[in-house]
Amino acid sequence: MRAYVFSEWQRKAELREVPIPEPGHGEVLIRIGGAGVCHSDLHIMHDWTPESFPPASFWSLPFTLGHENAGWIESGDIPPGLEKGSAVVVSPTWSCGVCSSCKLGDTNYCDVETVVAGGLGRDGGFAEYMVAPANCLVPLKTLEPWQAAPLTDAGLTSYHAVKRCLPKLTPDTSAVVIGVGGLGHLAVEFLRELSGARIIAIDRDEKALAIARDRGADVCLKSDDSTGEAVRDATAGLGAIAVLDFVGIDSTMLLATQIVRRRGEIVIVGMGGGVLPFQNGLIPYGCSLTYTLGGSTRELTEIVALAENGRILPHIERCRLDDIEDVYRRLHDNAISGRAVVIP
Ligand code: NAD
Ligand code: ZN
Ligand code: ZN
């Protein structure tokens, strides 16, 4: 089968012929119906090394990229209730299942760092088939795999970030989403569905802001030097109780500290490599600042339910595996609307 294989740090992956993988104990073979193209793949290919991004020291190269996957079960240790041909999504964070984090249901924060996931250290979904552990699958009832693929990372990661802030997101508060691309446009949808808060979207791209407006953002701001002031104006001078940063570079992280209000939440999701001085007087008093990773398998079941009930819908651009390099070029140049999904 054809697969998009990453084999060397600081080099792009390439399309290659590889054997169809064989599922091991507790694993299933999935025929891929859709695999989302995440900005993290650009970091993997061009920015990171195991030295600069230590979690990658547990990855074994080469592996097939694609960590946002959905498809149909083909064979293997098929869980009870599912069968060959059942449509499923695959969680992008795999877990040991026995550590205390896993036992609490926080599978995305599994304590065993050596457990790595498909497309992130093991073979992923930019291929006709991939192998995945049966315990990281969530069944689909009505959605087609290509429609559901973005739920597994763009959806799950943004949902997890929003859920962290929910207790503080009362209707008299505001939430800011910085970077309303693949992940951020879904964060806007989750904020709209789960909270009564006003939603402020910030992006440097007008098309991304148009999608955010369509998905429920109350205020859309093109990012420039005056963005901080514009957020203050839009929040009666107070700032936002939650700021979700889906870019994660120096300037967006600094902006987050300038527009969050006292006792607020700053959640950094973007992996742009930004550094923020954590300094008295710089970050408003009582704020929490965190980096999140993906979301739990339990949260993935909640998002699938939201999508299958028609409450949220990823904005998708479909593409072919043969065009993957062009898709990454366009993702790099900000020319993808919402999420690109490869249909092998
Ligand atoms: P994307 O390219 O689809 O979207 C990024 C958006 O940010 C675009 O709309 C772009 O115009 C906007 N943007 C870029 N620079 C900006 C700036 N300076 N100010 C305002 N807006 C700006 O990317 P994506 O796939 O949504 O991923 C976003 C980030 O999240 C990436 O860094 C990715 O690696 C990271 N990510 C993290 C996790 C996690 O678990 N923490 C999971 C998936 C992705
Ligand atoms: Zn990703
Ligand atoms: Zn674990």
Short mmCIF file of all heavy atoms in Angstrom, two decimals, residues 37-38 79 99 122 148-149 166-167 180 223 254 263 275 327 340:
data_model
loop_
_atom_site.label_atom_id
_atom_site.label_comp_id
_atom_site.label_asym_id
_atom_site.label_seq_id
_atom_site.Cartn_x
_atom_site.Cartn_y
_atom_site.Cartn_z
N VAL A 37 -5.25 16.57 8.33
CA VAL A 37 -3.88 17.11 8.18
C VAL A 37 -3.69 18.20 9.23
O VAL A 37 -4.25 19.28 9.13
CB VAL A 37 -3.68 17.68 6.75
CG1 VAL A 37 -2.25 18.19 6.59
CG2 VAL A 37 -4.00 16.62 5.71
N CYS A 38 -2.88 17.88 10.26
CA CYS A 38 -2.69 18.76 11.41
C CYS A 38 -1.43 19.60 11.25
O CYS A 38 -0.42 19.12 10.72
CB CYS A 38 -2.59 17.91 12.67
SG CYS A 38 -2.35 18.86 14.18
N PRO A 79 -13.32 -5.56 19.29
CA PRO A 79 -14.03 -5.54 20.57
C PRO A 79 -15.48 -6.01 20.42
O PRO A 79 -16.07 -5.85 19.35
CB PRO A 79 -14.00 -4.06 20.99
CG PRO A 79 -13.07 -3.38 20.07
CD PRO A 79 -12.96 -4.21 18.84
N CYS A 99 -2.13 2.96 34.43
CA CYS A 99 -1.53 3.94 35.35
C CYS A 99 -2.65 4.75 36.04
O CYS A 99 -3.81 4.67 35.64
CB CYS A 99 -0.57 4.87 34.60
SG CYS A 99 -1.41 6.08 33.56
N ARG A 122 4.45 6.11 15.91
CA ARG A 122 4.12 4.81 15.31
C ARG A 122 3.38 5.10 14.00
O ARG A 122 2.96 6.23 13.76
CB ARG A 122 3.20 4.00 16.24
CG ARG A 122 3.94 3.34 17.37
CD ARG A 122 3.00 2.41 18.14
NE ARG A 122 2.40 1.36 17.31
CZ ARG A 122 1.68 0.35 17.79
NH1 ARG A 122 1.47 0.25 19.09
NH2 ARG A 122 1.17 -0.56 17.00
N ALA A 148 -15.76 12.54 10.21
CA ALA A 148 -15.46 12.43 11.64
C ALA A 148 -13.97 12.55 11.95
O ALA A 148 -13.61 12.85 13.09
CB ALA A 148 -15.98 11.08 12.16
N ALA A 149 -13.11 12.34 10.94
CA ALA A 149 -11.67 12.33 11.22
C ALA A 149 -11.20 13.56 12.00
O ALA A 149 -10.47 13.43 13.00
CB ALA A 149 -10.89 12.15 9.91
N LEU A 166 -14.57 25.63 31.44
CA LEU A 166 -16.03 25.73 31.54
C LEU A 166 -16.56 26.23 32.87
O LEU A 166 -17.48 27.06 32.88
CB LEU A 166 -16.69 24.38 31.23
CG LEU A 166 -17.13 24.11 29.79
CD1 LEU A 166 -17.99 22.86 29.75
CD2 LEU A 166 -17.86 25.31 29.20
N PRO A 167 -16.01 25.76 34.03
CA PRO A 167 -16.59 26.22 35.29
C PRO A 167 -16.58 27.75 35.43
O PRO A 167 -17.41 28.31 36.12
CB PRO A 167 -15.68 25.57 36.35
CG PRO A 167 -15.10 24.38 35.67
CD PRO A 167 -14.95 24.77 34.22
N VAL A 180 -7.97 30.73 14.68
CA VAL A 180 -9.20 29.95 14.44
C VAL A 180 -9.08 29.13 13.16
O VAL A 180 -9.90 29.21 12.27
CB VAL A 180 -10.45 30.86 14.45
CG1 VAL A 180 -10.82 31.23 15.86
CG2 VAL A 180 -10.24 32.13 13.62
N SER A 223 -5.57 40.11 13.85
CA SER A 223 -4.52 40.39 14.84
C SER A 223 -3.51 41.41 14.30
O SER A 223 -2.99 41.28 13.19
CB SER A 223 -3.81 39.11 15.27
OG SER A 223 -3.24 38.49 14.17
N LEU A 254 2.17 36.29 24.78
CA LEU A 254 2.23 37.57 25.48
C LEU A 254 0.85 38.26 25.41
O LEU A 254 0.34 38.78 26.42
CB LEU A 254 3.30 38.46 24.85
CG LEU A 254 3.56 39.77 25.58
CD1 LEU A 254 4.13 39.50 26.97
CD2 LEU A 254 4.52 40.66 24.78
N ARG A 263 -7.91 36.06 37.86
CA ARG A 263 -8.43 34.72 38.15
C ARG A 263 -8.86 33.97 36.88
O ARG A 263 -9.60 33.01 36.93
CB ARG A 263 -9.54 34.75 39.21
CG ARG A 263 -10.87 35.29 38.73
CD ARG A 263 -11.92 35.41 39.82
NE ARG A 263 -13.02 36.21 39.31
CZ ARG A 263 -13.93 35.74 38.46
NH1 ARG A 263 -13.93 34.48 38.10
NH2 ARG A 263 -14.87 36.53 38.01
N VAL A 275 7.98 31.30 24.08
CA VAL A 275 8.47 31.33 25.46
C VAL A 275 7.85 32.55 26.13
O VAL A 275 7.79 33.62 25.54
CB VAL A 275 10.01 31.44 25.49
CG1 VAL A 275 10.51 31.56 26.93
CG2 VAL A 275 10.64 30.24 24.81
N VAL A 327 -0.91 19.86 -0.06
CA VAL A 327 -1.76 20.23 1.08
C VAL A 327 -0.90 20.84 2.20
O VAL A 327 -1.25 21.87 2.78
CB VAL A 327 -2.55 19.01 1.60
CG1 VAL A 327 -3.29 19.35 2.89
CG2 VAL A 327 -3.52 18.51 0.54
N ALA A 340 -8.08 20.14 6.36
CA ALA A 340 -7.94 19.28 5.18
C ALA A 340 -8.00 17.83 5.64
O ALA A 340 -7.40 17.48 6.66
CB ALA A 340 -6.62 19.56 4.47
#
